[in-house]
């Protein structure tokens, strides 16, 4: 059965992913289309607007010019009407006065000449000439003699033949038209009136009649020069202008305004607006490029902008889709596949376990399993070996699980299992069998190093609880398992543990308080020579003496102090007390013995303690050979390098180093060689095994090896006569145990000295 192995990339939610991917592509496509449509619409509207804007501007300029023309000519006519009234004195004509007046008016206006014509054809000109009009000439001014104000079309100056316009105003005398006042100016003057530049000096104007005959020409560089008839010129300029000319002719015939586009080498727009004088039209012309180029400039940049926005949008969309796909794939792999075992990742386990617990209502348990001191395996035998161990456990789990059960590896060596059970005993049996299988994995490379699993079990009571919390409960149970094999390697979570944890929290605070109030005292447990039964030393053991006189044993508070680092202070305090006691006993002339003090593993992380300790020794003046340090075996291998360095320095000062609790850790006999210790303390578990044949063999070979290396051997926890005899016979040098003495207050130890 295989419920945990998962192939890389074989993810559960692939189908769903694919659909949502297609949907996403669809959205992006729709968005792109909408964007392009919006841009096209915008650009078209912009194009139309720009176009009609330009044409409108052209028409406005035309209107403006028409107004200018009208105002000026009307102003001239008004002045002439005034003059006419002034010169028409009741008596005879005073020609001199008339001429004087006309000349004054001439100064104000751009007139070429002014004159007064009488009905008999006699004409007086402002420049002094007298002139007799021909009958033909008189026809032209007939209407003025009939009382009309006339503005002539282009005519020819009778004196110099230049092209002129003439204004004619009747002069009334006794309600009769007695004469006609005339003023003329050259058509160029008209042109000047219109020379308001427009479109940045690129536009110019003509004045023409409805039939196309030119009244005022333009001398703008690109204009038709000396044109007689604008229609003829337009037609002659380019055959493609025909339709435009027709349209213009037609409109002008009906007095309508409008514009055409024509070609004269290049393209132009021409706006024609009726002037309101005779049948005159003002033609305003600008090169098409002026309108088109601003338009196409704007259009071009608009298109460019659209294209850029579109491109950026697409690139960004593609980037995001790709990025997300990649991320998701990575995430799925990370989340769902464990790279070392190729099986379920922890995250996947949580998801699956939750689902399974909801569907399967058999009694279930969430289990955490790890290897004690896995770090040591990695450090001592290499990470490959560590990975091998993990894979080995994985393969065992693969065989171990039953239908519906799953497992995964979490960080480092931590495994999680969802298992079902009928009874607690059955589950415990299964787990013990698993543990036994794990411990059975001995390889040559690991030199007999035993992989010891530690298993915490949470029986799922509340199925609604999230898997992480269940995990935490299992971990609490897990953390109650001690480093020695005696307590077994499986623990079930119960509510008490929670209390323990709570109590530990309270304890942490109390520890500091007790330390400040000096509630910690030192007890001494004597050590005796195995053969002579003489007192040869003692071990200092800390006790917490409550104000009510009761003692709290170390196993209750040492683990807490070790966890939060307080142990550093406590150990140093004990060391100081011991130095002080030794000093006093020395001063009292007592025959002191070496006292060993426990050093927590925490010290190996803070080598600074060496200086502190040597200062304390110096200050007390106690001979260094009367002080010893105990370090537990397992700590020595955890940080072997640091440990060796520290031991070197301690030896340098003169301390003897005792390896405490030998036999509970992992050190093989061979490894003893690499650590320069002075005394080996056989753990109580060895002593307890004294009547077991195998135990006996081990103990004797250990003691022999130790002796061969000049390492002294002390047996701990010797309680009975038999144990004592046994240990003595196997060659232990010293004995520490209740058989001789229990740990005692300093006053009691004092009397032993
Ligand atoms: P340990 O260093 O192995 O200390 C020996 C323990 O064995 C002491 O327990 C001692 O009372 C007990 N013992 C000695 N002979 C016998 C015997 O014949 N039978 C039995 N059943 N037990 C015996 P204790 O004093 O309760 O200390 C427990 C542990 O607490 C110590 O184990 C040591 O690891 C730690 N500890 C005690 N004092 C200190 C200290 O000042 N600093 C540090 N870091 N740890 C300390
Ligand atoms: Ca000890
Ligand atoms: Ca010990």
């Amino acid at each position: 059965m295989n419920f945990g192995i998962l192939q890389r990339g074989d993810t559960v939610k692939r189908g769903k992913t694919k659909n949502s991917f297609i949907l996403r592509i669809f959205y992006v496509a729709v968005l792109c289309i909408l964007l392009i449509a919006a841009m096209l619409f915008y650009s078209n509207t912009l194009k139309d607007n720009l176009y009609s804007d330009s044409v409108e501007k052209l028409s406005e300029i035309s209107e403006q010019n028409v107004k200018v023309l009208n105002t000026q000519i009307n102003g001239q006519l008004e002045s002439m009407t005034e003059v006419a009234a002034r010169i028409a004195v009741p008596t005879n004509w005073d020609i001199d006065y008339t001429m004087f007046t006309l000349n004054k008016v001439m100064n104000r206006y751009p007139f070429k000449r002014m004159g007064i014509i009488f009905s008999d054809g006699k004409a007086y000109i402002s420049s002094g000439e007298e002139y007799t009009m021909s009958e033909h000439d008189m026809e032209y001014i007939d209407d003025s003699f009939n009382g009309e104000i006339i503005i002539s079309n282009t005519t020819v100056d009778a004196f110099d033949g230049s092209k002129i316009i003439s204004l004619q105003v009747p002069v009334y005398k006794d309600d009769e038209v007695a004469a006609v006042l005339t003023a003329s100016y050259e058509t160029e003057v008209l042109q000047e009136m219109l020379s308001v530049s427009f479109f940045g000096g690129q536009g110019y104007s003509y004045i023409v009649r409805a039939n196309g005959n030119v009244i005022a020409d333009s001398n703008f560089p690109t204009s038709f020069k000396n044109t007689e008839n604008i229609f003829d010129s337009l037609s002659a300029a380019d055959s493609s202008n025909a339709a435009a000319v027709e349209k213009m002719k037609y409109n002008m015939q009906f007095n309508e305004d409008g514009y055409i586009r024509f070609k004269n080498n290049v393209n132009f727009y021409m706006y024609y607006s009726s002037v309101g004088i005779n049948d005159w039209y003002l033609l305003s012309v600008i090169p098409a490029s002026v309108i088109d180029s601003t338009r196409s400039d704007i259009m071009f940049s608009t298109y460019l902008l659209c294209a850029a926005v579109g491109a950026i949008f697409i690139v960004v969309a593609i980037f995001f889709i790709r990025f997300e796909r990649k991320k998701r794939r990575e995430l799925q792999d990370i989340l769902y596949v464990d790279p070392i075992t190729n099986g379920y990742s922890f995250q996947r386990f949580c998801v699956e376990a939750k689902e399974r617990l909801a569907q399967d209502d058999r009694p279930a348990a969430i289990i955490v399993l790890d290897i004690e001191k896995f770090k040591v395996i990695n450090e001592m035998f290499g990470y490959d070996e560590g990975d091998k161990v993990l894979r080995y456990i994985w393969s065992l789990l693969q065989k171990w699980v039953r239908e519906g059960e799953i497992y995964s590896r979490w960080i480092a060596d931590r495994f999680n299992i969802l298992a079902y059970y009928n009874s607690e005993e059955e589950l415990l049996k299964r787990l013990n069998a698993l543990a036994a299988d794990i411990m059975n994995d001995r390889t040559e490379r690991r030199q007999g190093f035993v992989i010891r699993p530690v298993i915490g079990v949470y029986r799922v009571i509340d199925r609604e609880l999230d898997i992480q919390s269940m995990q935490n409960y299992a971990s609490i149970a897990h953390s109650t398992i001690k480093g020695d094999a005696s307590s077994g390697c499986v623990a079930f979570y119960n509510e008490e543990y929670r209390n323990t944890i709570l109590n530990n929290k309270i304890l942490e605070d109390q520890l500091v308080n007790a330390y400040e109030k000096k509630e910690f005292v030192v007890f001494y447990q004597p050590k005796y020579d195995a053969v002579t039964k003489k007192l040869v030393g003692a071990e200092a053991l800390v006790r917490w003496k409550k104000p009510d006189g009761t003692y709290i044993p170390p196993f209750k508070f040492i683990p807490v102090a070790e966890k939060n680092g307080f142990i550093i202070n406590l150990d140093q305090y004990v060391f100081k007390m011991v130095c002080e006691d030794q000093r006093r006993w020395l001063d009292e002339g007592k025959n002191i013995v070496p006292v060993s003090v426990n050093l927590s593993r925490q010290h190996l992380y803070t080598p600074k303690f060496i200086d502190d300790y040597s200062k304390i020794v110096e200050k007390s003046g106690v001979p260094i050979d009367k002080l010893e340090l105990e370090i537990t075996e397992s700590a020595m291998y955890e940080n072997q390098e640091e440990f060796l360095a520290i031991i070197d320095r301690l030896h340098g000062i003169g301390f003897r180093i005792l390896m405490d609790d030998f036999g509970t850790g992992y050190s093989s006999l061979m490894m003893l060689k690499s650590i320069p210790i002075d005394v080996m303390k056989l753990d109580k578990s060895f002593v307890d095994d004294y009547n077991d044949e195998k135990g006996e063999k081990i103990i004797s070979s250990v003691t022999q090896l130790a002796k061969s290396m000049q390492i002294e051997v002390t047996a701990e926890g010797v309680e009975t006569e038999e144990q004592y005899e046994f240990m003595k016979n196997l060659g232990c040098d010293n004995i520490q145990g209740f058989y001789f003495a229990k740990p005692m207050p300093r006053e009691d130890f004092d009397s032993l000295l």
Side-chain angles (χ1 to χ4, degrees), residues 539-541 596-598 630 660-661 681 716 736:
E539 176 177 4
L541 295 157
S596 62
V597 179
N598 289 287
E630 294 193 9
D660 203 358
D661 309 326
K681 293 185 80 179
E716 267 194 300
Q736 178 185 346

Side-chain angles (χ1 to χ4, degrees), residues 246-478:
E246 282 315 304
K247 174 191 166 195
M248 186 172 159
K249 263 185 190 165
Y250 182 84
N251 280 350
M252 283 164 60
Q253 198 180 323
F254 293 99
N255 207 26
E256 275 171 21
D257 298 355
Y259 71 92
I260 56 161
R261 187 184 158 98
F262 70 92
K263 193 168 175 189
N264 177 21
N265 292 327
V266 292
N267 288 319
F268 293 88
Y269 284 100
M270 176 185 278
Y271 194 90
Y272 43 94
S273 48
S274 163
V275 176
I277 297 169
N278 302 338
D279 59 351
W280 292 3
Y281 263 86
L282 178 79
L283 309 181
S284 307
V285 182
I286 55 157
S289 60
V290 174
I291 287 184
D292 292 348
S293 78
T294 31
R295 195 162 56 120
S296 55
D297 273 3
I298 293 175
M299 287 317 298
F300 181 69
S301 36
T302 309
Y303 282 134
L304 207 67
L305 194 75
C306 287
V309 168
I312 289 171
F313 179 76
I314 288 168
V315 167
V316 167
I318 288 172
F319 175 77
F320 269 105
I321 290 171
R322 280 215 173 156
F323 180 77
E324 233 205 86
R325 259 171 61 185
K326 192 168 158 243
K327 263 269 109 72
R328 201 195 342 232
R329 208 171 285 158
E330 276 174 12
L331 206 69
Q332 274 176 347
D333 279 2
I334 291 169
L335 286 184
Y336 289 110
V337 182
D338 167 38
I340 288 186
T341 59
N342 244 4
Y344 277 13
S345 65
F346 177 63
Q347 283 79 359
R348 173 93 194 265
F349 173 83
C350 290
V351 173
E352 285 275 305
K354 183 120 198 108
E355 279 172 16
R356 280 167 198 244
L357 281 176
Q359 286 158 8
D360 196 332
D361 55 5
R362 286 180 289 170
I366 291 288
I367 298 159
V368 298
L369 178 156
D370 69 8
I371 303 304
E372 206 185 34
K373 305 289 166 346
F374 180 68
K375 215 176 137 224
V376 179
I377 300 180
N378 276 337
E379 277 172 6
M380 279 174 29
F381 311 114
Y383 285 87
D384 280 353
E385 192 62 29
D387 284 357
K388 255 188 219 157
V389 170
L390 296 181
R391 277 195 289 270
Y392 171 68
I393 294 174
W394 186 263
S395 68
L396 285 180
L397 281 171
Q398 219 168 312
K399 285 181 237 144
W400 186 83
V401 285
R402 295 178 181 167
E403 172 144 30
E405 298 179 338
I406 52 168
Y407 54 97
S408 79
R409 190 183 70 94
W410 193 12
I411 24 177
D413 57 328
R414 194 129 229 220
F415 290 85
N416 311 278
I417 308 165
L418 163 70
Y420 297 100
Y421 63 94
N422 297 317
S423 70
E424 230 168 82
E425 295 76 49
E426 177 229 42
L427 182 59
L428 182 61
K429 231 168 125 185
R430 275 185 76 197
L431 288 171
N432 278 330
L434 175 66
D437 280 346
I438 292 173
M439 286 191 277
N440 264 337
D441 180 48
R442 288 166 202 259
T443 65
E444 225 165 84
R445 271 207 62 194
R446 264 181 267 133
Q447 305 166 9
F449 186 100
V450 177
I451 316 171
R452 190 168 169 263
V454 182
I455 302 172
V457 185
Y458 169 73
R459 283 153 296 175
V460 180
I461 301 158
D462 181 4
R463 282 180 127 83
E464 295 298 296
L465 212 63
D466 59 293
I467 303 297
Q468 266 96 339
S469 302
M470 298 183 188
Q471 210 87 41
N472 288 344
Y473 288 135
S475 297
I476 289 171
H478 174 279

